[in-house]
Amino acid sequence: MTFSISLTVNGVRRNVELADPRVTLLDLLRERLDLTGTKKGCDRGQCGACTVLVGGRRINSCLALAISHDGADVLTIEGVARGNQLHPVQAAFIAHDGLQCGFCTPGQIMSAIGLIREGHAGDNPERVREAMSGNLCRCGAYAGITEAVLEAQKILATAEQRRSA
Ligand code: FES
Ligand code: FES
């Protein structure tokens, strides 16, 4: 028996047949859709490397069953840049050395985008650190990550103000 699901991933409708209802959203993205930017770190909800946005909210895709996300709107790291133009969060990570080996970086960036959308980032480094605490970095690039989130938050808020002026 197979299960058919249909998701929108990075703006593109994808239809997938699942032979096993236990397939996670992470494995579906990586192994069925070849979107390997989303990383598998712990595979048990403890590191945040697999963070993606579903309906604009950040989730650990290793804990999400793909079959439960039939019809969902998923954004992965592959979908955040516009052509050659990096997303402001990506650019800020580079500007502030928010990465070393880069393994955790896709998850950090997706989490940062989600956090900024939630409107909880503000300009308080402590709050940013706390709100990003589900994303671990073995290289300890936390100082740069926090600076990057703060700067990206500012840039996006200014852009938003200009749009609504
Ligand atoms: Fe999902 Fe670690 S791989 S939280
Ligand atoms: Fe290496 Fe975060 S940059 S794990």
Side-chain angles (χ1 to χ4, degrees):
M1 182 173 177
T2 60
F3 305 85
S4 301
I5 64 168
S6 176
L7 315 91
T8 301
V9 182
N10 300 332
V12 179
R13 198 81 180 160
R14 309 294 297 257
N15 301 312
V16 185
E17 297 287 322
L18 296 176
D20 184 342
R22 296 167 299 177
V23 171
T24 64
L25 181 58
L26 174 62
D27 285 341
L28 179 140
L29 291 170
R30 289 181 55 84
E31 292 168 18
R32 301 294 301 278
L33 303 181
D34 291 327
L35 294 170
T36 54
T38 305
K39 300 303 179 203
K40 184 183 278 192
C42 64
D43 208 18
R44 52 198 288 188
Q46 292 179 348
C47 73
C50 63
T51 305
V52 298
L53 301 190
V54 173
R57 299 179 66 83
R58 46 193 177 147
I59 67 162
N60 288 333
S61 59
C62 70
L63 294 183
L65 288 177
I67 203 166
S68 308
H69 289 79
D70 188 20
D73 189 3
V74 182
L75 182 67
T76 73
I77 191 68
E78 288 89 349
V80 301
R82 297 236 169 108
N84 288 333
Q85 192 187 347
L86 293 178
H87 187 283
V89 173
Q90 292 176 302
F93 266 68
I94 293 170
H96 290 274
D97 287 331
L99 65 147
Q100 287 182 36
C101 77
F103 184 82
C104 73
T105 311
Q108 302 277 3
I109 288 173
M110 297 314 297
S111 193
I113 293 172
L115 169 61
I116 292 169
R117 283 189 187 173
E118 288 157 24
H120 296 145
D123 57 4
N124 182 333
E126 197 48 51
R127 277 177 63 183
V128 169
R129 273 193 287 275
E130 190 183 332
M132 293 288 293
S133 62
N135 291 81
L136 305 184
C137 174
R138 286 173 299 185
C139 300
Y142 294 112
I145 291 169
T146 303
E147 284 171 20
V149 176
L150 289 168
E151 180 184 281
Q153 195 277 136
K154 235 183 274 171
I155 291 169
L156 287 165
T158 306
E160 185 57 40
Q161 275 166 8
R162 285 208 187 109
R163 262 198 301 275
S164 51

